[in-house]
Amino acid sequence: MAEMSKIEEVLGKYNLDITDEEVKEAVKKIIAEKVPENDNADVKRFMFGSIELTTLTTVDSAESVLQLVEKVNKFDNEYPQMPHVATVVTYPRFTKLVSESLEVEGVIPTCVSGAFPSSQALIEVKTVETGLAVRDGAGNVDIVMHVGEFLSGDYETVVDEIEQQKQACGDVPMKVILETGDLGSMSNIKKASILSMYGGADYIKTSTGKEKVSATPEAVYVMCQAIKEYYDETGIQVGLKPAGGINTVMDALIYYTIVKEVLGEKWLNNTLFRLGTSRLANLLLSELEGKEVKFF
């Protein structure tokens, strides 16, 4: 009860009285008025450097993961005028392979952990998996908030599991995936954002990409609001990662613009702003080169 009271006290510091309609209107205004000014080559190069190049399929193998890493290594030599991608994301079993094979300084070996994508495992299993990933060289770890417990109102378990996995990460930055498409309302997305940051998230991330609804501009707008309010309250600067359903350059430009308008320039770097998408790499490269490129 004492812990629940503490959590209620934390949530009480933030404005959770938001409606889906007001969020929709705010996003509509940003898209109409602000996106066009960001549709330029400099922003597209920046966004390329924020990409988290990802392979999370059932058929992943050491061979296929190594091929992806080799493309990242090769890209750095073939396109010296371009920034490198921010990270390479795999399942934990490939973390050691990625960390030992990456040759490009600044590209971070990253893995999903904690029984991704469902988070439906015992917390002991999730923390061990996370700790092993860090041991094997993960420079970022992405976990999933327990959505079922959140929707049941068991915020104590939600926060406790995030805290324990953050302890397993140590100094390694941890992203907490909210699975925003399953949360039901903008108010819930904001509440989940606050709880995740309170639990120790270094980033909050929209989606696993495994559910029917992934990232949306409205969800990202609310998450940015939560990050800003949390920063104003605590002084802790938490990063953001839209992921899943980023199918076009315009999708990415919308997310960039929302971050710029809500959070400001302080968040516009590839440490605090990440894009969880692989298809975007070729799309951005094609636009910047003025021809279709299928490098990745």
Side-chain angles (χ1 to χ4, degrees), residues 54-223:
T54 303
T55 181
L56 297 170
T57 73
T58 304
V59 297
D60 285 347
S61 65
E63 181 181 7
S64 67
V65 169
L66 187 57
Q67 287 174 350
L68 180 63
V69 174
E70 287 174 346
K71 287 180 181 179
V72 174
N73 293 337
K74 186 179 178 183
F75 180 84
D76 197 51
N77 292 322
E78 293 197 11
Y79 292 89
Q81 78 281 12
M82 289 288 293
H84 55 66
V85 296
T87 74
V88 174
V89 186
T90 65
Y91 283 110
R93 66 178 292 122
F94 303 115
T95 302
K96 192 169 190 287
L97 173 65
V98 174
S99 65
E100 291 178 347
S101 304
L102 269 175
E103 298 171 359
V104 184
E105 185 177 352
V107 180
I108 302 171
T110 299
C111 74
V112 295
S113 185
F116 177 96
S118 70
S119 197
Q120 298 286 12
L122 295 170
I123 186 58
E124 292 86 353
V125 173
K126 292 195 267 193
T127 54
V128 167
E129 183 179 42
T130 298
L132 290 173
V134 171
R135 180 203 67 183
D136 286 347
N140 280 181
V141 173
D142 295 18
I143 69 163
V144 185
M145 180 191 76
H146 201 295
V147 178
E149 299 298 351
F150 174 85
L151 293 174
S152 298
D154 187 356
Y155 303 145
E156 181 180 2
T157 294
V158 170
V159 171
D160 180 64
E161 291 203 355
I162 292 170
E163 288 176 337
Q164 289 194 52
Q165 289 177 87
K166 178 55 186 171
Q167 288 174 5
C169 285
D171 293 332
V172 170
M174 183 182 77
K175 306 186 196 84
V176 176
I177 304 168
L178 309 183
E179 205 65 279
T180 53
D182 290 340
L183 295 184
S185 71
M186 294 297 126
S187 181
N188 271 351
I189 291 172
K190 191 165 188 182
K191 187 182 292 184
S193 298
I194 297 298
L195 291 175
S196 296
M197 291 186 286
Y198 175 63
D202 298 289
Y203 295 77
I204 50 176
K205 174 179 170 182
T206 57
S207 324
T208 62
K210 304 297 186 183
E211 295 291 278
K212 291 180 180 179
V213 179
S214 292
T216 66
E218 290 77 17
V220 169
Y221 176 82
V222 170
M223 291 166 71

Side-chain angles (χ1 to χ4, degrees), residues 6-16 229 233-234:
K6 178 63 176 175
I7 290 173
E8 289 167 2
E9 180 185 340
V10 169
L11 290 174
K13 296 177 181 179
Y14 302 93
N15 175 27
L16 302 176
E229 291 179 28
E233 177 68 29
T234 67

Side-chain angles (χ1 to χ4, degrees), residues 19-34 217-218 221-222 225 258 261-262:
T19 67
D20 291 13
E21 189 58 36
E22 70 183 65
V23 171
K24 184 178 179 180
E25 288 303 311
V27 169
K28 184 178 178 182
K29 182 178 174 65
I30 289 174
I31 292 173
E33 296 180 2
K34 300 296 184 179
E218 290 77 17
Y221 176 82
V222 170
Q225 283 188 318
I258 290 170
E261 294 304 312
V262 179

